[in-house]
Every structure is written in C-alpha cells, then in structure tokens.
Amino acid sequence: MPRPTTGGWYLFLRSFSSSIHPQLPNSTPEATDLFNKVRVLSARDNIKEALSFFYSTPQLNQSQQTYATLFHACARHGNLKQGQYLHQHMISKNPKNPQDLFVTNHLINMYAKCGDLDCARQVFDEMGRRNVVSWTALISGYAQHGRSYECFSLFSDMLVDCYPNEFAFASVITSCDYVCGKQVHALALKMGLIASVYVGNALITRYSKSCEDNFVGDGSEACRVFESMEFRNLVSWNSMIAAFQHWKLGGLAIGIFCQMHSGGVEFDGATLVSVLSSLSESYDGDNADVGLKGCFQLHCVSIKRGFMLKIELATALVKAYSDLGGKVSDCYRLFMETSSRDLFLWTGIITAFADREPEEALLLFRQLYREGLAPDWCTFSIVLKACAGFVTERHALAVYSQVVKAGFEDDRVLANTLIHAYARCGSISFSKQVFDKMRSRDVVSWNSMIKAYALHGQAKEALHLFSEMNVRPDSATMVALLSACSHAGLVEEGINIFDSMSMNHGVSPQLDHYACMVDILGRAGLLLEAGELISRMPMKPDSVVWSALLSSCRKYGETQLAKLAADKLKELEPGNSLGYVQISNIYCSGGSYNEAGLIRDEMNGSRVRKEPGLSWIEIENRVHEFASGGRRHPQREAIYAKLYSLIGQLKGVGYVPETSLALQDIEEEHKQEQLYHHSEKLALVFALMSEGSLRCGGGAIRIVKNIRICVDCHNFMKLASDLLQKEIVVRDSNRFHHFKNRTCSCNDYW
C-alpha cells in the first residue's frame, strides 16, 4: 500500500530548504557561482562529483548552505557513508562555531533517511535550540523505519515544545497502532489539521491496516475519512482503492476507481495494479467473463497511457488474466512483450501455467535459472505445486534438490507444498518422510498430511494423525477428515466428526462439510438420509453438494432422486456436462435407452460438451496422453494387438466385461468393444510395451485419469496386477487406487 506521507515530507523539506537560506550570506559572486555548481551537480544526482568538487574547494568549507545541500543529497540517495564523512568534515573545519539550526535539521534528516536513527537522535539531543522541522525530521525517520514506539513517544514530547505540523501528524499516524492512531486522529481534529490531505491520506492508510492489529472492520472508518476530505490527491484515491483491496472488498475498490475515472481524476500505474488485484478477487466462477472483460479494458487503458513499461503492472495483468481463467497463451504473450522481467513477473507466469500446463511451468522455471535469477521461497512453492500435476514424483524430487541447495530446506511453507506434491504424485511414503522431519508444523502442515492420507484411502491413518494434532484444527482440517471417512466408508466416524465440529473445535459446518457428509451417506447407500441432510442445510446447496448426491444415485440406480439432483445441477451450472451425463448413464444402466437418448439430445441442444475421458502415463521423460478409443495415437495398431492379447489372458483368470455400463442400446459385442478401449486400459498396455523405459519407483505402473475410474476398468486393473505381478497405481479425479495381487487400496469402495 502506498505511504501517503512520503511525497508530502519531501515537499516539506524542499519548502524549508528553499525558504530559510534563500541566498548565501555575505557571499561574493564567485562564491555564489561555486555554490550553484554544487547545487546543480546534486540536483542532477551527480553526488560523488558534487562532493569531490566541494572537498577540493576551500572557499565552500565555511558555507552552511552548501553543507545543507549536500546533506540533503546524501539523504535522497541513502548514502550514509558519504553523509558521515561530510559530517566529520564539517566538524573538523568548524570546531568552534555552533552548528546552524538549518544545517542541523538537514543532518538529522540525512541520518534518519539513511537508517542511522541512533546518530539522528544523538544530534537531536545535543541541539541547543530546536524548531518544528527538527522534531518532524526525527519523527519521520522513526516512522519510515518501523520504530513506532519511539515515533509516538517523540511526538508526545513534541507537544510540550511546539505545535506539530501536518507532516508530523501524518508520520505518527501511519506508524502507530490502531488505538494510538485514534488518539492522534482526535488531536488532529482538535488542532484543526484534519483538513490536510497528508493527514487524511495517513488516516486512510492507518485504518486500512486495522485488521492487522486484530481489530475487525469493514473499511468504514477509512471510507468516512475519505468521504470527509475536502481535497483529495492521487495518493488519496490510491490509498482508498488499496485499502478496500487489502480488506478483500474488491467490489468497493472497483467502485472507487469508477468514481475516480468518471470524475476525471488522473490515475497512475499503482492505481491500475490495485484495481487488477481487486478484479481477481471479486469475479470468479460464472462471473469470470465479466472480470476478464474488465481486465482486458484495463489492459487497453494501460497501453494507451503508456503504463505497460512498468513491470509491476505487467505482473498484475498476468496474475489477473490467470486468476480469471484467461488463456495462458495470452499471459505468456504479455510476459514476452515485457522487456525487463524481474523475479515477481517470472513467478507470475509460472503460476499461470502451474495448474493447467505443469510441463510448461517447469520449462519456465529452468529458463529462469538460465536468465541468472535466483528463485525465492514463493517461486519454489509454485513450482512444487506444478510438480503435483505430474504422473511421478521425480520432478518434485529434482526441484526439492534445488530447494535444499538454495537454503530453504527448513522453510515450512515449502515443506507443506512438498507433502502435497508427493501425495498427488502417488508417493505417500515421501509425504510422511517430509512431515516427520519438519521441525515445526502449523495447521497447514497437519492438514496437508491428513489430506494425503485421505487421497490414498488411508482413513485410519488420517484419524490417528488427527488425534495427535497439537494445533487448533480449522475448517480445512474437518474437510480432510470427512473426505477420508468418505473414501473408506466410515459412516459412523464421519457423522461423529460432523456433529462435534462446532462444539469441540469451534468450526461451523460450511458447504464443503455438507458436501462431504452427503458423499459419506450416499456412498453407503443412505440416499434418503443424504437427501434429508440437504433439505436441512442452513445455506443453499451448491453444485458440489448436488454432484455428490447424483454420483451416489448412479451407484445405487436411484432414478427419482437422481433426476432432482441433475436438474439442480443443470440449474446451477448450465454449462457443466456432469448433470446430463450422470442421469443419462443411470437410465442406460437401467435399460431405459430412450430416456437416455432424450437427455443426450437435450445436452446437445444446450451446446454442452461432455468432458472426454483421458489418461496419462510418463515414459522416458515424456508424458503420453490417451483418449478413449485411442484412434489418434501413432502406435494404435500395436496397442490394440497388445490389448486384445492381455484381455484374452485376463478372461482366462476370471475377467468378465461389465457390459451393463455400456451407454447405448447396441449388441453385446459392441458393448464389450466400448469398454476395452477406455483410456486407462490403453495407457496400461502402452506402459507394458515400453516396460524397459519405465521410471516408476519399485516397478509400479502409474496412470493419471481425469474422471473417475469405472467398475469395469477397476476390475480389469485388479486382475492385471495379479497376472503381471506388478503394482498398478491409478489416480482418478477423486482419489488414488493402488492395485496389487487382485486387490485395490480402496477395498472396492469408491
């Protein structure tokens, strides 16, 4: 958030530096020319040349105005070393003369701006006479370097000596906590300084931070200050927009920007950065298109105003486009069009690719190294998140080696992300190793490990870990536990957890918790109980709740309740194919092919497309994708031949195709043909064909699937694991299935 006092403070310095010594006393034309040369060099940021000229010109050594000018230049550049040397030089050349108040104020300002507050205080304490500038210079230094106690204390002492000005008020307001800020606010009202734009800006900044001081608010105090201001500058508007964005009130931030724009107030890059951040937070789901349109409009304005040269704005645009579901190709083009790229922009573009195209995210991460940049913990966290999208854990292992090399081995955020990445890649044992080695754990650490157990169907381990949890659980903890119970069919345990959430742990059930409970009851065949729970929900059920009920209805062939759930799902998400597909499948499973056909016609009429079933497997550092049917794969003929050979062997050990799952009223032979060509079967066969190239730990074959595995493929994988004497690991959209010796880790409950 911009500091509203900074610009005002420098304006104040310039005003007093030009008004107290307008010209050199008793100066000759030659001395004036010498001083002007120092002044011009300092103004042009040639500080070293100005100092060199000063030290080599004895006539200037007695000039208080020249010392003040050079101290001011050192302060602007943060050059403490040169300022200290200049101070020593001044004392050595003027050992008996008392220091001029004007020069001493600049000296305090130099030490304060350069961060040597102890020296600034020493000079201040040794002054025989002080004015308002002396006090304000030191107060400002304390404020800018985060020493709020000293800042407030000095301000209190100042009240005895002189009246504070608007700059002193602004500095102390931005520095102190909420309670002290309210006191200073009251004093500003009493002294008639509340009309100052600098005081008003400081109050907006102070009140926008109140949540950090454990005060709950909705931004109303900052808003009242803003509305009461007679005059507002750009900092006022930016501070108000940033305040609402900081409070996660993006809609109000956008409203302020619209008010600013319609009023003809000029804005800058900082304004657009805050508004773009607010767009990302305010528009999601069905409103994402509106947010994208706004993002595009702001992008156009940025180009028109020439702001695209600012790397901060390019970074904000990449993030906004990514968060709002824009094309990653557009994000990448924007990234490439930015000539100067810092670590923040690199991290932003990697984030854009992490979820949707993890391979590209990893390539960008390697390119970042080639550009000579060093990743920070945030960059590593995003890259590890991208590694969770791969089939095997080898990418996460490689990135973690770089984490250790960079000195972030003990970083808790990275350890939490690594637990998640290993679990998503199928290596629950690696997740546990990371968790066990952590020196300190927060609630995210415990949640990550509980989620890992839930994902792999290890509900008992998840519940046991929860019993050892030594931090207060939160809402996400309860979701993870309920999910674990759902995957394992632990109905009673799930009900107990749900019922005790509020009383024992202070967590009120939200939509996610209700969705888990509907899933627990529905999977267990308690469909009426699941429906009753939905009817008792204190909030409106969302699509996740209805999806959970619909999936359970399909499992048990409950048509009437399924139709209700499907209708609700289509109403909430008209573009989602799940409601159409699930109810159609239920009709097909019951032999009602005419009704199923009508649903498919309705789906086509609504221009809703079904998500195709896809599977992936990694061979020789390359990810291979398979769609149901596999007709586009260049080795399809060889894959088919190997597939039918394997099917023949599996039929000899008991494999019987589940033709009841076929979705059309066709001959039995064609139904079997449909089932044989499911994408995970093709991926398995291709893995066997490439067996010498597999890089899977312990010889396991690992497959990732984008939708839930069907009953037929589940039976197929169980028998194949025994026939081939290999572990087969399938990660579907819901959980992991570890197939070994004719059994699955889910115990046929999924």
Side-chain angles (χ1 to χ4, degrees), residues 482-545:
L482 292 171
S483 178
C485 292
S486 174
H487 291 326
L490 302 180
V491 179
E492 187 175 342
E493 290 85 346
I495 292 174
N496 290 336
I497 290 168
F498 184 80
D499 290 342
S500 66
M501 280 172 47
S502 181
M503 183 175 295
N504 294 353
H505 306 293
V507 178
S508 299
Q510 301 300 318
L511 280 168
D512 286 346
H513 306 106
Y514 278 102
C516 287
M517 276 308 301
V518 170
D519 198 41
I520 288 173
L521 296 170
R523 283 173 187 261
L526 303 173
L527 296 175
L528 292 178
E529 289 83 349
E532 289 173 2
L533 178 65
I534 293 175
S535 67
R536 297 197 308 268
M537 287 176 60
M539 71 286 289
K540 184 179 179 180
D542 65 358
S543 59
V544 181
V545 173

Side-chain angles (χ1 to χ4, degrees), residues 612-614 625-636 640 682:
L614 301 173
E625 180 181 281
F626 295 87
S628 291
R631 296 182 181 85
R632 291 181 297 174
H633 199 281
Q635 295 178 253
R636 58 184 176 276
Y640 285 167
L682 301 175

Side-chain angles (χ1 to χ4, degrees), residues 223-234:
C223 194
R224 281 197 297 270
V225 172
F226 179 79
E227 292 295 338
S228 68
M229 293 175 71
E230 295 180 9
F231 170 75
R232 305 178 188 123
N233 61 11
L234 178 60

Side-chain angles (χ1 to χ4, degrees), residues 350-364:
I350 292 171
T351 303
F353 279 96
D355 283 330
R356 288 181 270 182
E357 296 183 29
E359 299 92 345
E360 292 299 323
L362 213 58
L363 288 174
L364 285 165

Side-chain angles (χ1 to χ4, degrees), residues 182-256:
K182 294 283 282 185
Q183 294 173 355
V184 178
H185 185 179
L187 181 62
L189 280 167
K190 185 177 180 180
M191 295 180 64
L193 288 172
I194 198 65
S196 164
V197 67
Y198 303 114
V199 174
N201 292 345
L203 285 168
I204 293 171
T205 302
R206 171 59 267 157
Y207 288 134
S208 71
K209 294 180 186 175
S210 60
C211 61
E212 296 175 4
D213 300 327
N214 297 319
F215 284 88
V216 178
D218 57 2
S220 59
E221 291 176 303
C223 194
R224 281 197 297 270
V225 172
F226 179 79
E227 292 295 338
S228 68
M229 293 175 71
E230 295 180 9
F231 170 75
R232 305 178 188 123
N233 61 11
L234 178 60
V235 175
S236 313
W237 291 93
N238 282 356
S239 297
M240 197 65 243
I241 291 171
F244 281 127
Q245 190 263 323
H246 174 79
W247 282 68
K248 309 297 182 186
L249 298 171
L252 293 177
I254 295 167
I256 289 289

Side-chain angles (χ1 to χ4, degrees), residues 223-479:
C223 194
R224 281 197 297 270
V225 172
F226 179 79
E227 292 295 338
S228 68
M229 293 175 71
E230 295 180 9
F231 170 75
R232 305 178 188 123
N233 61 11
L234 178 60
V235 175
S236 313
W237 291 93
N238 282 356
S239 297
M240 197 65 243
I241 291 171
F244 281 127
Q245 190 263 323
H246 174 79
W247 282 68
K248 309 297 182 186
L249 298 171
L252 293 177
I254 295 167
I256 289 289
F257 175 72
C258 293
Q259 181 184 344
M260 176 184 185
H261 190 49
S262 62
V265 180
E266 287 294 319
F267 52 85
D268 61 6
T271 318
L272 294 175
V273 168
S274 291
V275 176
L276 284 166
S277 299
S278 300
L279 276 175
S280 300
E281 295 165 359
S282 302
Y283 296 96
D284 55 10
D286 295 336
N287 294 323
D289 289 342
V290 178
L292 272 176
K293 184 178 179 181
C295 186
F296 180 73
Q297 291 171 339
L298 290 173
H299 190 175
C300 293
V301 169
S302 302
I303 295 172
K304 185 177 179 180
R305 297 292 184 92
F307 291 139
M308 286 310 298
L309 295 175
K310 294 181 178 293
I311 194 169
E312 299 87 355
L313 187 54
T315 304
L317 276 167
V318 167
K319 184 179 186 303
Y321 276 127
S322 175
D323 290 346
L324 294 166
K327 296 178 181 179
V328 290
S329 57
D330 291 339
C331 295
Y332 185 70
R333 183 167 60 250
L334 182 58
F335 171 78
M336 293 302 295
E337 289 172 354
T338 307
S339 56
S340 176
R341 307 178 193 119
D342 62 6
L343 184 59
F344 294 105
L345 182 56
W346 277 96
T347 303
I349 190 63
I350 292 171
T351 303
F353 279 96
D355 283 330
R356 288 181 270 182
E357 296 183 29
E359 299 92 345
E360 292 299 323
L362 213 58
L363 288 174
L364 285 165
F365 177 64
R366 291 167 184 157
Q367 182 64 29
L368 181 152
Y369 268 107
R370 287 194 286 270
E371 295 287 333
L373 293 172
D376 61 7
W377 68 268
C378 183
T379 313
F380 278 121
S381 176
I382 297 301
V383 176
L384 286 171
K385 181 183 177 184
C387 291
F390 289 102
V391 180
T392 70
E393 74 281 355
R394 67 182 188 86
H395 297 287
L397 286 167
V399 173
Y400 181 61
S401 68
Q402 296 297 321
V403 169
V404 174
K405 188 176 180 180
F408 294 114
E409 184 177 8
D410 294 326
D411 186 277
R412 189 164 58 194
V413 173
L414 294 182
N416 294 341
T417 311
L418 195 60
I419 290 170
H420 169 74
Y422 283 147
R424 293 288 297 175
C425 294
S427 296
I428 187 73
S429 59
F430 282 4
S431 295
K432 189 174 186 307
Q433 284 179 26
V434 175
F435 181 81
D436 290 342
K437 288 180 180 178
M438 291 180 71
R439 296 180 180 178
S440 65
R441 306 182 184 111
D442 58 9
V443 67
V444 179
S445 313
W446 291 92
N447 290 352
S448 298
M449 196 63 226
I450 292 172
K451 287 176 186 176
Y453 281 133
L455 188 64
H456 288 264
Q458 299 183 20
K460 291 182 179 179
E461 289 82 352
L463 293 173
H464 176 72
L465 188 65
F466 175 65
S467 69
E468 296 181 341
M469 194 170 177
N470 57 8
V471 297
R472 184 182 179 87
D474 61 8
S475 177
T477 315
M478 298 302 150
V479 171

